[in-house]
Amino acid sequence: RGWRGRVQKAWEQLRKFAGGERPATSIQEGLTELEVFQLEEEYNVMLPSHLRALYLLADGEDESFGFGMHGQHGIINGIRFLPLLEALLSLPQAHIPTYNAEDDKKTKEFCLPLTELAGFGDVGERYVVVGEDGEVWKVSGMSKRRVGRDIADFLQSLLR
């Protein structure tokens, strides 16, 4: 099954785990390989393989589902999982803090929001995918920390 299988298994487990809290309609159908390729070409990016596999399974959550009566209800720790086009469009306004020198090379290679910004302005939080290996980082205000070595690892961590 390899890494695609790891991502698929982790995604299916998360969907099952979170299934009672959101309707199946909040998750958008996955993109095709061609759609992902066209977006990569248009925005001059190359998605890490694990992130590509996730977007082939599901293209984020419907925009109308992000907030409910009692706050946020997105599938990723209560935060809405961004469709790929929306993530790519948000790059200039992503509010991703400058990484230290050690992380800087990785950031220049690739950094894409995985979730919308939860909260207000610079005090909000979001999850981003960083570097060609697709590490997942939680960014909150000006602080950051790695929460997954790749998408499959991160999705598995949400079940703990």
Side-chain angles (χ1 to χ4, degrees), residues 39-116:
L39 286 169
E40 287 176 322
E41 287 289 307
E42 184 176 343
Y43 289 90
N44 196 29
V45 298
M46 190 168 123
L47 298 182
S49 55
H50 288 225
L51 184 58
R52 170 183 278 274
L54 179 60
Y55 277 112
L56 292 173
L57 294 169
D59 187 26
E61 290 179 274
D62 187 292
E63 186 175 19
S64 65
F65 195 74
F67 287 90
M69 272 179 57
H70 305 289
Q72 293 190 311
H73 298 289
I75 196 165
I76 298 180
N77 269 359
I79 307 173
R80 187 173 70 93
F81 168 33
L82 289 176
L84 182 55
L85 177 60
E86 193 174 334
L88 292 167
L89 288 171
S90 73
L91 280 174
Q93 306 87 20
H95 300 293
I96 298 168
T98 305
Y99 286 68
N100 65 36
E102 183 180 302
D103 299 328
D104 196 42
K105 180 179 181 285
K106 211 176 272 191
T107 303
K108 287 179 182 168
E109 289 172 5
F110 185 84
C111 188
L112 185 75
L114 183 62
T115 64
E116 67 184 358

Side-chain angles (χ1 to χ4, degrees), residues 137-157:
W137 291 66
K138 179 179 181 179
V139 178
S140 183
M142 290 304 291
S143 68
K144 67 190 181 333
R145 70 182 171 89
R146 190 179 88 153
V147 292
R149 68 181 182 273
D150 58 37
I151 290 291
D153 182 52
F154 170 66
L155 294 175
Q156 284 288 324
S157 77

Side-chain angles (χ1 to χ4, degrees), residues 23-42:
T25 57
S26 74
I27 305 295
Q28 299 186 134
E29 187 176 320
L31 298 171
T32 66
E33 287 277 358
L34 180 60
E35 289 169 324
V36 172
F37 175 76
Q38 288 171 334
L39 286 169
E40 287 176 322
E41 287 289 307
E42 184 176 343

